[in-house]
Amino acid sequence: MGKYMKRLAVCVLAAGVMTAPFDAAAEEADSGEEARIVIYHTNDVHGSLEGEDEGSIGLAVVAGLKNEDPDAILVDAGDATQGMPVASLTKGNDVIRLMNLAGYDLMSAGNHEFDFGTEAFLANAELAEFPILAANIYDADGGLLMEGVQDGNEGCHTVVERDGITVGFFGLTTAQTATATNPAGIEGLTFADEAETAKQEISHLKEEGAEVVIAVAHLGDETAGAPYTSAGLAEAMTGEYAGELDVIIDGHSHTVENDIVNDVLIVQTGSNLNAVGKLTVSVESDGSVHAQEELLDAEALSEAEPDSEVSAGLAEIQDFQNEMLSEKIGRTDTTLWAGSIGDLAPTRFVETNYGDLAADAYAQAGRAMLETVGTEEEKKLPVIAAENGGGIREAIRNGDITLGGLTTTFPFSNTLYMKLVTPSVLYEVMELSGSCLEGQDKETGMLLQTEVFGGFLQISGFKVVFDPAAETGNKVVSITLDGQDEPLERTDTTTQIMMVSNNYIMEGGNDYTMLADIPKYAEAGGELETIRSYIEEHLENGVLTGYAGTQGRISYSGGDYEPSGYTAVIRIIDEDGEVCAGQEVRYRVDGGKEQTGTTDEDGILKVPLSDGGHGIRVSDGESENEVYADNYAGIGLVEDEYRTIPELTVSVGEAAKQDESEEAGVQTESGGTDGENNILAGVLLLLAAAAVITALAKYKK
């Protein structure tokens, strides 16, 4: 077990907080403790600092936790400086300022810390008043942060002393960063093996007297798809390093981790500040290390006192940004679907209307550029476009489309590249896009894989058919360009097609290495600016048109399944959360014609839909409460560990409105509208009054 004997307590979930079960033996052992410290930790915050959304905590509350215990240590495991507009509009600069105010003691670099390029990362590191650690990232001169970027920090490890305990921290960034951020932004950087780097850092920290050794890592579990997981790192601690690593504070996979692997406690809090980890570490007089994790969610922290300085700093930043972000671009009658729906992110494995819109915008920009710079022959080339599903970060709910909403969806400030590809290359691209597919239910069409892929492509200018059950490398059944009847030949290496995508994909991001070496033909503009311009061009009376549902560009026909309509199930509840059994409900699909259905005894409304994804909402004319159903994603079909039945709320007032509307319909069966019938009644009343007056006049005569 090495120098220190470990006793690591696994925690259980109770009332929103992970706590260790009572252990009498452990309680007795605790009596000999020498000292104890608390380490609060966050990961994958992605700019979710406000704490205004339900379930989100907010950075001011995190800072408040540290205020309550000045000896506590506060760390972050990466992906803090990119995501929401508050982060992306200043390339993470404002996030670092707020982390300074919150009193962070250190952080590791996540892959998304490099989304704005190495120079932006180094500028943020220089601004930080706490060490940023990236022990396995090197440039041509050595360790990336070793050249005096931060005073007193060489970017590999740091030692913190609290309450008599010396804790050594080192930072690791997944080597997957080489393909999980903009490759151009990390040009010249290399990522050393995570396990070998960890061993080196453990040795250095032991030499510096660390009693406790903690890796602050951005590796994640197996769902992140990284070459080295945090569990793999723990398992690699063998031989002389067995028992020398106490805890891995993890990030990257956006999961909750609280596991012991090879005597190493691995912890992670999910993402977007939906929880804060509270790691309690103690060292007894015999040198044994105890580590225990609690997960503190919004409910558990509802009474916590926010830090006033952080709140004021955030308010100042928001005031500066709000005028720009609140600018209204238009409206959409239907939700543009992206981001996470429950535990699934549809743009990462199925076609969505937002994906269609983004790809269409890129294709239009490419065609416009060809018209400007292309030869007469080049202007005749077919133009296609693709956007990686992981690049469409958030949905825009039906209602106003604002600059802030677009910035949240497209936070990376990418540039659109144009490259000439052949059918052979395009097949290779789409094989990678569909590589996460593992099978399909033959009755419903639901895809069966348990993992999704941020590199799954939303497309324009062509259609692709996948066989999810086929072997990897042979999942693409066909690719057919728009306007053509015959699919492209897989072996065609001569026909030219102009492809438009963001520079992240075009430079090999998400492992699209087949595109990286193709010379750039031209740049078609900025990603966000292109999306905004396209939306503005497709407004009619201020409302977005053409993207109510999906376009049928991506289909799946594995085994016996043939694309067809399906029936989604939606649970209807009232404002108190009670199911509405036997209730007549008016609803709209994709903002279309009003339809009527009746719930069953369990409050389930059955909604017939055409193949693919759709938005459904209660038909009250104003509601922004819209839910998503998709047979391929299984949302609206099944309820399991990844999916829940979508729920729509019908208010008591809304039910009354529907009843009144029905009564009004009976009273106005003449065919006119309510307004027209009221006018007609008034005219008839006037005519009747005139007749009475005339009769009275004759009577008087």
Side-chain angles (χ1 to χ4, degrees):
M1 294 293 291
K3 180 178 179 181
Y4 302 115
M5 185 73 69
K6 291 193 179 72
R7 180 178 56 78
L8 300 172
V10 182
C11 309
V12 296
L13 186 64
V17 182
M18 279 186 165
T19 57
F22 178 75
D23 184 337
E27 187 71 15
E28 183 178 348
D30 284 347
S31 62
E33 285 179 1
E34 198 171 70
R36 172 181 295 182
I37 57 171
V38 169
I39 302 171
Y40 291 111
H41 59 95
T42 57
N43 61 271
D44 298 281
V45 174
H46 289 291
S48 296
L49 307 175
E50 292 91 340
E52 295 174 354
D53 296 333
E54 184 178 353
S56 182
I57 293 168
L59 190 62
V61 172
V62 176
L65 288 175
K66 192 175 182 185
N67 292 341
E68 294 176 3
D69 182 1
D71 289 331
I73 300 172
L74 178 58
V75 308
D76 183 84
D79 281 6
T81 59
Q82 166 279 327
M84 302 298 285
V86 69
S88 295
L89 286 181
T90 59
K91 299 184 179 180
N93 187 278
D94 282 336
V95 173
I96 295 295
R97 294 182 188 278
L98 289 169
M99 291 177 74
N100 287 339
L101 292 176
Y104 271 86
D105 292 286
L106 61 102
M107 73 173 285
S108 62
N111 57 297
H112 285 297
E113 256 68 66
F114 295 89
D115 279 356
F116 308 112
T118 302
E119 288 186 10
F121 167 73
L122 293 175
N124 286 332
E126 187 174 2
L127 179 65
E129 297 172 0
F130 50 85
I132 295 180
L133 306 177
N136 63 320
I137 305 180
Y138 294 83
D139 61 14
D141 299 319
L144 179 61
L145 290 168
M146 291 184 67
E147 299 300 318
V149 177
Q150 292 184 293
D151 292 339
N153 175 38
E154 293 187 350
C156 296
H157 62 262
T158 190
V159 175
V160 179
E161 293 188 16
R162 290 285 196 279
D163 197 21
I165 298 178
T166 303
V167 185
F169 295 92
F170 65 93
L172 289 177
T173 304
T174 174
Q176 188 188 38
T177 303
T179 59
T181 190
N182 187 344
I186 56 172
E187 187 174 354
L189 299 186
T190 57
F191 297 83
D193 180 89
E194 296 92 333
E196 291 305 311
T197 301
K199 292 174 182 178
Q200 294 172 13
E201 293 305 314
I202 290 169
S203 296
H204 292 319
L205 288 168
K206 291 296 183 181
E207 291 171 2
E208 295 182 26
E211 300 170 90
V212 179
V213 176
I214 297 176
V216 185
H218 199 77
L219 301 177
D221 65 15
E222 69 279 358
T223 64
Y228 238 115
T229 65
S230 52
L233 178 68
E235 290 169 348
M237 297 299 105
T238 58
E240 63 179 299
Y241 294 98
E244 299 299 316
L245 179 61
D246 297 293
V247 181
I248 299 173
I249 297 175
D250 198 18
H252 191 46
S253 56
H254 295 200
T255 51
V256 173
E257 299 180 29
N258 185 18
D259 302 298
I260 296 173
V261 177
N262 193 23
D263 280 336
V264 180
L265 177 63
I266 302 172
V267 296
Q268 187 180 169
T269 69
S271 65
N272 300 101
L273 267 188
N274 289 324
V276 176
K278 181 181 180 182
L279 178 67
T280 303
V281 179
S282 58
V283 179
E284 294 191 17
S285 55
D286 63 356
S288 60
V289 176
H290 303 251
Q292 176 178 300
E293 169 80 350
E294 298 177 58
L295 189 70
L296 307 177
D297 61 12
E299 181 182 356
L301 297 175
S302 59
E303 301 299 322
E305 183 70 27
D307 180 89
S308 58
E309 193 174 3
V310 173
S311 296
L314 182 57
E316 183 179 344
I317 291 170
Q318 289 173 325
D319 287 343
F320 177 75
Q321 295 182 351
N322 277 345
E323 184 175 349
M324 177 173 56
L325 294 176
S326 62
E327 180 185 352
K328 180 180 174 180
I329 295 169
R331 283 185 59 82
T332 174
D333 282 341
T334 56
T335 296
L336 299 174
W337 296 103
S340 295
I341 300 175
D343 290 330
L344 295 176
T347 55
R348 296 172 183 247
F349 69 119
V350 296
E351 177 186 351
T352 77
N353 58 343
Y354 210 166
D356 289 345
L357 184 151
D360 285 350
Y362 300 170
Q364 177 174 288
R367 285 190 291 269
M369 181 59 68
L370 267 186
E371 286 297 319
T372 302
V373 303
T375 66
E376 290 305 313
E377 288 302 311
E378 288 171 342
K379 292 177 182 179
K380 299 176 184 177
L381 291 175
V383 177
I384 64 171
E387 167 72 344
N388 55 307
I392 312 176
R393 308 296 287 185
E394 294 290 339
I396 289 184
R397 307 299 300 189
N398 51 299
D400 288 344
I401 303 171
T402 64
L403 177 58
L406 293 182
T407 305
T408 301
T409 303
F410 301 99
F412 301 127
S413 301
N414 286 329
T415 301
L416 300 181
Y417 281 9
M418 301 169 63
K419 294 189 176 186
L420 286 168
V421 301
T422 64
S424 176
V425 170
L426 185 57
Y427 269 94
E428 192 176 353
V429 166
M430 296 313 296
E431 286 289 356
L432 178 58
S433 177
S435 60
C436 69
L437 304 175
E438 295 181 358
Q440 186 176 30
D441 185 274
K442 66 179 181 179
E443 300 296 332
T444 65
M446 186 179 81
L447 301 172
L448 302 179
Q449 78 267 15
T450 58
E451 297 180 16
V452 295
F453 176 38
F456 182 85
L457 298 178
Q458 302 289 318
I459 62 175
S460 176
F462 66 101
K463 290 181 173 61
V464 60
V465 179
F466 289 110
D467 180 354
E471 293 182 359
T472 300
N474 289 291
K475 293 185 181 293
V476 177
V477 177
S478 65
I479 296 174
T480 307
L481 295 176
D482 288 356
Q484 296 187 6
D485 296 325
E486 294 298 320
L488 296 171
E489 291 291 336
R490 187 183 291 266
T491 57
D492 184 348
T493 59
T494 58
T495 300
Q496 290 191 322
I497 302 167
M498 185 64 72
M499 181 174 179
V500 187
S501 188
N502 62 60
N503 55 306
Y504 168 63
I505 291 296
M506 289 297 204
E507 293 181 330
N510 281 135
D511 292 327
Y512 284 97
T513 54
M514 73 291 293
L515 295 171
D517 294 332
I518 299 175
K520 180 174 62 178
Y521 174 86
E523 294 184 7
E527 183 178 61
L528 181 61
E529 295 80 5
T530 297
I531 296 289
R532 174 176 180 168
S533 176
Y534 185 84
I535 288 175
E536 290 174 337
E537 291 176 18
H538 288 76
L539 298 176
E540 289 186 7
N541 298 318
V543 179
L544 178 67
T545 61
Y547 292 94
T550 52
Q551 312 289 324
R553 299 170 183 177
I554 302 172
S555 57
Y556 310 84
S557 58
D560 299 326
Y561 180 75
E562 290 296 332
S564 62
Y566 63 102
T567 299
V569 294
I570 312 295
R571 182 177 289 112
I572 305 298
I573 60 175
D574 62 21
E575 292 167 310
D576 296 325
E578 299 295 328
V579 298
C580 297
Q583 167 119 9
E584 185 173 279
V585 178
R586 295 185 178 187
Y587 63 91
R588 298 180 189 274
V589 175
D590 297 331
K593 183 179 178 181
E594 187 178 82
Q595 301 180 58
T596 303
T598 302
T599 61
D600 64 14
E601 66 274 11
D602 297 316
I604 296 298
L605 177 70
K606 294 185 177 180
V607 180
L609 299 170
S610 60
D611 190 61
H614 300 276
I616 301 117
R617 74 171 185 268
V618 174
S619 181
D620 61 5
E622 297 294 334
S623 175
E624 294 191 9
N625 180 20
E626 189 169 32
V627 295
Y628 180 77
D630 191 309
N631 56 320
Y632 295 126
I635 300 173
L637 289 183
V638 300
E639 190 166 28
D640 56 23
E641 59 182 313
Y642 305 103
R643 307 162 182 85
T644 58
I645 295 175
E647 290 187 347
L648 283 172
T649 301
V650 177
S651 67
V652 174
E654 172 57 23
K657 284 180 191 176
Q658 292 185 0
D659 292 340
E660 290 171 5
S661 177
E662 290 171 3
E663 292 174 6
V666 172
Q667 294 169 358
T668 61
E669 288 180 346
S670 60
T673 64
D674 291 346
E676 291 170 342
N677 289 326
N678 288 338
I679 292 172
L680 178 59
V683 171
L684 291 174
L685 182 59
L686 288 173
L687 289 174
V692 170
I693 292 170
T694 301
L696 288 173
K698 288 180 179 179
Y699 177 78
K700 286 181 179 179
K701 289 179 181 178

mmCIF file with all atom_site columns, all heavy atoms in Angstrom, residues 165-176:
data_model
loop_
_atom_site.group_PDB
_atom_site.id
_atom_site.type_symbol
_atom_site.label_atom_id
_atom_site.label_alt_id
_atom_site.label_comp_id
_atom_site.label_asym_id
_atom_site.label_entity_id
_atom_site.label_seq_id
_atom_site.pdbx_PDB_ins_code
_atom_site.Cartn_x
_atom_site.Cartn_y
_atom_site.Cartn_z
_atom_site.occupancy
_atom_site.B_iso_or_equiv
_atom_site.pdbx_formal_charge
_atom_site.auth_seq_id
_atom_site.auth_comp_id
_atom_site.auth_asym_id
_atom_site.auth_atom_id
_atom_site.pdbx_PDB_model_num
ATOM 1  N N   . ILE A 1 165 ? -1.693  20.016 7.432   1.00 0.00 ? 165 ILE A N   1
ATOM 2  C CA  . ILE A 1 165 ? -1.613  18.984 6.390   1.00 0.00 ? 165 ILE A CA  1
ATOM 3  C C   . ILE A 1 165 ? -0.987  19.602 5.132   1.00 0.00 ? 165 ILE A C   1
ATOM 4  O O   . ILE A 1 165 ? -1.377  20.684 4.693   1.00 0.00 ? 165 ILE A O   1
ATOM 5  C CB  . ILE A 1 165 ? -2.999  18.421 6.046   1.00 0.00 ? 165 ILE A CB  1
ATOM 6  C CG1 . ILE A 1 165 ? -3.626  17.756 7.269   1.00 0.00 ? 165 ILE A CG1 1
ATOM 7  C CG2 . ILE A 1 165 ? -2.912  17.420 4.889   1.00 0.00 ? 165 ILE A CG2 1
ATOM 8  C CD1 . ILE A 1 165 ? -5.014  17.215 7.016   1.00 0.00 ? 165 ILE A CD1 1
ATOM 9  N N   . THR A 1 166 ? -0.026  18.901 4.555   1.00 0.00 ? 166 THR A N   1
ATOM 10 C CA  . THR A 1 166 ? 0.602   19.334 3.308   1.00 0.00 ? 166 THR A CA  1
ATOM 11 C C   . THR A 1 166 ? 0.001   18.526 2.164   1.00 0.00 ? 166 THR A C   1
ATOM 12 O O   . THR A 1 166 ? 0.169   17.298 2.099   1.00 0.00 ? 166 THR A O   1
ATOM 13 C CB  . THR A 1 166 ? 2.126   19.117 3.343   1.00 0.00 ? 166 THR A CB  1
ATOM 14 O OG1 . THR A 1 166 ? 2.670   19.825 4.460   1.00 0.00 ? 166 THR A OG1 1
ATOM 15 C CG2 . THR A 1 166 ? 2.766   19.630 2.064   1.00 0.00 ? 166 THR A CG2 1
ATOM 16 N N   . VAL A 1 167 ? -0.716  19.227 1.281   1.00 0.00 ? 167 VAL A N   1
ATOM 17 C CA  . VAL A 1 167 ? -1.397  18.567 0.170   1.00 0.00 ? 167 VAL A CA  1
ATOM 18 C C   . VAL A 1 167 ? -0.708  18.951 -1.138  1.00 0.00 ? 167 VAL A C   1
ATOM 19 O O   . VAL A 1 167 ? -0.524  20.139 -1.428  1.00 0.00 ? 167 VAL A O   1
ATOM 20 C CB  . VAL A 1 167 ? -2.886  18.967 0.092   1.00 0.00 ? 167 VAL A CB  1
ATOM 21 C CG1 . VAL A 1 167 ? -3.592  18.172 -1.003  1.00 0.00 ? 167 VAL A CG1 1
ATOM 22 C CG2 . VAL A 1 167 ? -3.564  18.749 1.429   1.00 0.00 ? 167 VAL A CG2 1
ATOM 23 N N   . GLY A 1 168 ? -0.332  17.952 -1.902  1.00 0.00 ? 168 GLY A N   1
ATOM 24 C CA  . GLY A 1 168 ? 0.272   18.191 -3.210  1.00 0.00 ? 168 GLY A CA  1
ATOM 25 C C   . GLY A 1 168 ? -0.746  17.950 -4.312  1.00 0.00 ? 168 GLY A C   1
ATOM 26 O O   . GLY A 1 168 ? -1.405  16.907 -4.358  1.00 0.00 ? 168 GLY A O   1
ATOM 27 N N   . PHE A 1 169 ? -0.888  18.935 -5.190  1.00 0.00 ? 169 PHE A N   1
ATOM 28 C CA  . PHE A 1 169 ? -1.803  18.828 -6.327  1.00 0.00 ? 169 PHE A CA  1
ATOM 29 C C   . PHE A 1 169 ? -0.996  18.860 -7.621  1.00 0.00 ? 169 PHE A C   1
ATOM 30 O O   . PHE A 1 169 ? -0.046  19.646 -7.748  1.00 0.00 ? 169 PHE A O   1
ATOM 31 C CB  . PHE A 1 169 ? -2.780  20.014 -6.361  1.00 0.00 ? 169 PHE A CB  1
ATOM 32 C CG  . PHE A 1 169 ? -3.725  20.096 -5.203  1.00 0.00 ? 169 PHE A CG  1
ATOM 33 C CD1 . PHE A 1 169 ? -3.398  20.830 -4.064  1.00 0.00 ? 169 PHE A CD1 1
ATOM 34 C CD2 . PHE A 1 169 ? -4.960  19.463 -5.253  1.00 0.00 ? 169 PHE A CD2 1
ATOM 35 C CE1 . PHE A 1 169 ? -4.279  20.938 -2.999  1.00 0.00 ? 169 PHE A CE1 1
ATOM 36 C CE2 . PHE A 1 169 ? -5.851  19.559 -4.193  1.00 0.00 ? 169 PHE A CE2 1
ATOM 37 C CZ  . PHE A 1 169 ? -5.505  20.296 -3.060  1.00 0.00 ? 169 PHE A CZ  1
ATOM 38 N N   . PHE A 1 170 ? -1.392  18.042 -8.584  1.00 0.00 ? 170 PHE A N   1
ATOM 39 C CA  . PHE A 1 170 ? -0.842  18.184 -9.935  1.00 0.00 ? 170 PHE A CA  1
ATOM 40 C C   . PHE A 1 170 ? -1.987  18.132 -10.944 1.00 0.00 ? 170 PHE A C   1
ATOM 41 O O   . PHE A 1 170 ? -3.046  17.555 -10.672 1.00 0.00 ? 170 PHE A O   1
ATOM 42 C CB  . PHE A 1 170 ? 0.217   17.126 -10.240 1.00 0.00 ? 170 PHE A CB  1
ATOM 43 C CG  . PHE A 1 170 ? -0.266  15.704 -10.287 1.00 0.00 ? 170 PHE A CG  1
ATOM 44 C CD1 . PHE A 1 170 ? -0.658  15.114 -11.481 1.00 0.00 ? 170 PHE A CD1 1
ATOM 45 C CD2 . PHE A 1 170 ? -0.307  14.926 -9.129  1.00 0.00 ? 170 PHE A CD2 1
ATOM 46 C CE1 . PHE A 1 170 ? -1.084  13.797 -11.532 1.00 0.00 ? 170 PHE A CE1 1
ATOM 47 C CE2 . PHE A 1 170 ? -0.735  13.609 -9.163  1.00 0.00 ? 170 PHE A CE2 1
ATOM 48 C CZ  . PHE A 1 170 ? -1.128  13.039 -10.370 1.00 0.00 ? 170 PHE A CZ  1
ATOM 49 N N   . GLY A 1 171 ? -1.789  18.765 -12.087 1.00 0.00 ? 171 GLY A N   1
ATOM 50 C CA  . GLY A 1 171 ? -2.849  18.871 -13.084 1.00 0.00 ? 171 GLY A CA  1
ATOM 51 C C   . GLY A 1 171 ? -2.583  18.039 -14.312 1.00 0.00 ? 171 GLY A C   1
ATOM 52 O O   . GLY A 1 171 ? -1.446  17.981 -14.814 1.00 0.00 ? 171 GLY A O   1
ATOM 53 N N   . LEU A 1 172 ? -3.618  17.375 -14.801 1.00 0.00 ? 172 LEU A N   1
ATOM 54 C CA  . LEU A 1 172 ? -3.537  16.582 -16.030 1.00 0.00 ? 172 LEU A CA  1
ATOM 55 C C   . LEU A 1 172 ? -4.666  16.991 -16.969 1.00 0.00 ? 172 LEU A C   1
ATOM 56 O O   . LEU A 1 172 ? -5.808  17.184 -16.537 1.00 0.00 ? 172 LEU A O   1
ATOM 57 C CB  . LEU A 1 172 ? -3.671  15.089 -15.737 1.00 0.00 ? 172 LEU A CB  1
ATOM 58 C CG  . LEU A 1 172 ? -2.521  14.387 -15.029 1.00 0.00 ? 172 LEU A CG  1
ATOM 59 C CD1 . LEU A 1 172 ? -2.896  12.934 -14.762 1.00 0.00 ? 172 LEU A CD1 1
ATOM 60 C CD2 . LEU A 1 172 ? -1.241  14.463 -15.857 1.00 0.00 ? 172 LEU A CD2 1
ATOM 61 N N   . THR A 1 173 ? -4.345  17.095 -18.238 1.00 0.00 ? 173 THR A N   1
ATOM 62 C CA  . THR A 1 173 ? -5.334  17.401 -19.272 1.00 0.00 ? 173 THR A CA  1
ATOM 63 C C   . THR A 1 173 ? -5.374  16.245 -20.255 1.00 0.00 ? 173 THR A C   1
ATOM 64 O O   . THR A 1 173 ? -4.325  15.768 -20.695 1.00 0.00 ? 173 THR A O   1
ATOM 65 C CB  . THR A 1 173 ? -4.963  18.691 -20.015 1.00 0.00 ? 173 THR A CB  1
ATOM 66 O OG1 . THR A 1 173 ? -4.813  19.750 -19.070 1.00 0.00 ? 173 THR A OG1 1
ATOM 67 C CG2 . THR A 1 173 ? -6.035  19.074 -21.029 1.00 0.00 ? 173 THR A CG2 1
ATOM 68 N N   . THR A 1 174 ? -6.559  15.785 -20.593 1.00 0.00 ? 174 THR A N   1
ATOM 69 C CA  . THR A 1 174 ? -6.661  14.642 -21.495 1.00 0.00 ? 174 THR A CA  1
ATOM 70 C C   . THR A 1 174 ? -5.898  14.874 -22.799 1.00 0.00 ? 174 THR A C   1
ATOM 71 O O   . THR A 1 174 ? -5.983  15.948 -23.409 1.00 0.00 ? 174 THR A O   1
ATOM 72 C CB  . THR A 1 174 ? -8.134  14.323 -21.813 1.00 0.00 ? 174 THR A CB  1
ATOM 73 O OG1 . THR A 1 174 ? -8.179  13.284 -22.797 1.00 0.00 ? 174 THR A OG1 1
ATOM 74 C CG2 . THR A 1 174 ? -8.884  15.532 -22.344 1.00 0.00 ? 174 THR A CG2 1
ATOM 75 N N   . ALA A 1 175 ? -5.177  13.843 -23.217 1.00 0.00 ? 175 ALA A N   1
ATOM 76 C CA  . ALA A 1 175 ? -4.491  13.916 -24.510 1.00 0.00 ? 175 ALA A CA  1
ATOM 77 C C   . ALA A 1 175 ? -5.489  14.002 -25.653 1.00 0.00 ? 175 ALA A C   1
ATOM 78 O O   . ALA A 1 175 ? -5.129  14.358 -26.780 1.00 0.00 ? 175 ALA A O   1
ATOM 79 C CB  . ALA A 1 175 ? -3.580  12.706 -24.685 1.00 0.00 ? 175 ALA A CB  1
ATOM 80 N N   . GLN A 1 176 ? -6.767  13.712 -25.359 1.00 0.00 ? 176 GLN A N   1
ATOM 81 C CA  . GLN A 1 176 ? -7.820  13.859 -26.357 1.00 0.00 ? 176 GLN A CA  1
ATOM 82 C C   . GLN A 1 176 ? -7.974  15.312 -26.800 1.00 0.00 ? 176 GLN A C   1
ATOM 83 O O   . GLN A 1 176 ? -8.578  15.592 -27.842 1.00 0.00 ? 176 GLN A O   1
ATOM 84 C CB  . GLN A 1 176 ? -9.144  13.353 -25.781 1.00 0.00 ? 176 GLN A CB  1
ATOM 85 C CG  . GLN A 1 176 ? -10.294 13.275 -26.770 1.00 0.00 ? 176 GLN A CG  1
ATOM 86 C CD  . GLN A 1 176 ? -11.613 12.962 -26.080 1.00 0.00 ? 176 GLN A CD  1
ATOM 87 O OE1 . GLN A 1 176 ? -11.868 13.451 -24.984 1.00 0.00 ? 176 GLN A OE1 1
ATOM 88 N NE2 . GLN A 1 176 ? -12.441 12.158 -26.712 1.00 0.00 ? 176 GLN A NE2 1
#
